[in-house]
Amino acid sequence: MDVLRSRAAVTGLFVTLLVLVPSVSASAAYPPVDRPGPPLTVPQQKLAGALECSSGLAGSKRNPVLLVPGTTLNPRVQFSWNWERALSRLGWPRCSLALPGDGMGDIQIAGEYVVHAIRTMHAASGRRVDIVGHSQGGMVPRWALRFWPDTRPMVNDLVGLSPSNHGTVDANVVCLPGCAPSFWQQRRGSDFLEALNSPQETFPGISYSNVYTRTDEVVVPNLGPRASSSLNGGGGAIANVAIQEVCPLNVSEHLAVGTYDNTAYALAVDALTHPGPADPARVGSSACRRLFMPGVNQLTFALDFGKLLAHVARVVATYPHVPKEPELACYATAGCAG
């Protein structure tokens, strides 16, 4: 009887999820991919204040790296104790972008910050920009590339660390009583994601490396050829790589992939140091010998990661909920006149 009740409960959950996921309309109309992007609505001062860069962008001999944090996070709590240190040791110029509201607000607005960052870094360096983003931070640059086509020639690599490219069924449940705007938009089958992935997911000339973990508890489901983080076609060079393809015993979860996991770091750096996307064969099993990526101080790791977890909990508990998904901006619809 207990087994039957358990099976019924699981069946009921999946039925609920299927009901919650909006159906895809075959007649859904989105703008052509070559339509020029709209003017940015966020004030210039706010856009500039959200981007913090190291020295050395001007005259750099390699592409600068743009770091984009995930939902509930900002560059200080996510990247200051790992990625920023690692890139400094490599001597690579980099910028970190703070998404408004710690990535909890309308992702369409966050996309404008990414557009500004790409344009600014490209102009300052005279080079194409490499992007490394975690979770929402690995997905939102694609909104910029989709709806502001002038940014595409400015970007060389987009490395997503457990990116929410196709959302998560977790959000479908979390948003039942209402949730933050970006949670709504990262629901599996949301209007936002349908627009983002229409009519193609990638663009020629850009290399896309989607590095994720099969034990992800946030971006769900992240298994198989249609993992939520994966991208599938459109013209760009694509590598969809689970860290378990390199290190089968690696059980890193969602936050680990974006903060300290050495295998994820090795795959990202492989993409940034070779033409095209990441290649697991080049990384090899040597990446499995280390738990922590370069830049992480093992003596302060517990404190650093603890601060991150506390920040996530505080943001989730205090950010205002809204009753429904934000409406698509006019520019993301086919009928938009402006």
Side-chain angles (χ1 to χ4, degrees):
M1 183 63 71
D2 290 338
V3 173
L4 291 176
R5 288 197 186 104
S6 298
R7 289 179 177 174
V10 172
T11 301
L13 174 59
F14 278 102
V15 169
T16 300
L17 292 176
L18 288 173
V19 171
L20 288 170
V21 177
S23 60
V24 180
S25 171
S27 61
Y30 302 101
V33 297
D34 57 351
R35 188 168 78 180
L40 302 183
T41 62
V42 179
Q44 174 68 25
Q45 185 176 5
K46 284 189 174 182
L47 295 171
L51 188 66
E52 181 180 344
C53 298
S54 65
S55 60
L57 259 70
S60 172
K61 295 182 180 180
R62 67 147 288 122
N63 296 339
V65 179
L66 173 63
L67 297 172
V68 189
T71 308
T72 75
L73 297 168
N74 60 52
R76 178 181 57 81
V77 297
Q78 177 154 20
F79 296 131
S80 64
W81 52 279
N82 42 56
W83 271 95
E84 290 182 359
R85 291 177 184 174
L87 294 177
S88 294
R89 291 180 184 179
L90 290 171
W92 295 1
R94 53 90 184 151
C95 296
S96 298
L97 179 64
L99 301 179
D102 289 321
M104 297 288 277
D106 186 344
I107 303 177
Q108 296 172 105
I109 299 300
E112 296 192 23
Y113 283 76
V114 178
V115 170
H116 174 267
I118 292 171
R119 290 171 174 171
T120 299
M121 294 175 65
H122 175 70
S125 66
R127 302 184 65 92
R128 299 173 74 187
V129 178
D130 291 335
I131 305 175
V132 176
H134 173 234
S135 195
Q136 180 190 151
M139 172 268 286
V140 65
R142 295 183 51 239
W143 187 265
L145 296 170
R146 168 64 177 90
F147 294 107
W148 282 269
D150 70 289
T151 62
R152 294 172 202 159
M154 303 178 188
V155 173
N156 184 54
D157 274 281
L158 172 55
V159 178
L161 303 174
S162 283
S164 51
N165 286 322
H166 294 279
T168 172
V169 296
D170 284 1
N172 293 83
V173 176
V174 169
C175 288
L176 279 173
C179 59
S182 70
F183 282 21
W184 279 109
Q185 291 166 316
Q186 290 176 92
R187 288 158 40 253
R188 190 86 163 176
S190 70
D191 292 340
F192 172 86
L193 290 173
E194 293 299 330
L196 170 67
N197 294 314
S198 69
Q200 62 193 69
E201 297 184 357
T202 66
F203 296 98
I206 301 173
S207 297
Y208 298 81
S209 301
N210 304 296
V211 179
Y212 61 94
T213 176
R214 292 170 181 157
T215 53
D216 200 317
E217 80 289 13
V218 175
V219 176
V220 180
N222 241 347
L223 296 166
R226 290 288 176 175
S228 293
S229 289
S230 296
L231 294 175
N232 299 279
I238 305 170
N240 299 314
V241 186
I243 57 175
Q244 288 81 11
E245 294 177 39
V246 178
C247 305
L249 300 181
N250 191 322
V251 293
S252 288
E253 46 72 57
H254 184 76
L255 287 173
V257 170
T259 56
Y260 68 83
D261 182 85
N262 187 60
T263 308
Y265 169 82
L267 286 164
V269 169
D270 178 79
L272 301 182
T273 52
H274 294 88
D279 184 350
R282 286 195 299 256
V283 173
S285 61
S286 61
C288 312
R289 298 170 191 160
R290 296 183 57 174
L291 172 63
F292 296 112
M293 63 173 278
V296 174
N297 184 335
Q298 296 184 40
L299 297 178
T300 62
F301 167 74
L303 179 61
D304 294 329
F305 196 65
K307 288 180 179 178
L308 180 145
L309 293 176
H311 183 84
V312 169
R314 182 168 58 253
V315 171
V316 170
T318 60
Y319 197 89
H321 289 188
V322 294
K324 62 180 181 178
E325 179 182 350
E327 292 187 8
L328 285 178
C330 180
Y331 67 79
T333 65
C336 186

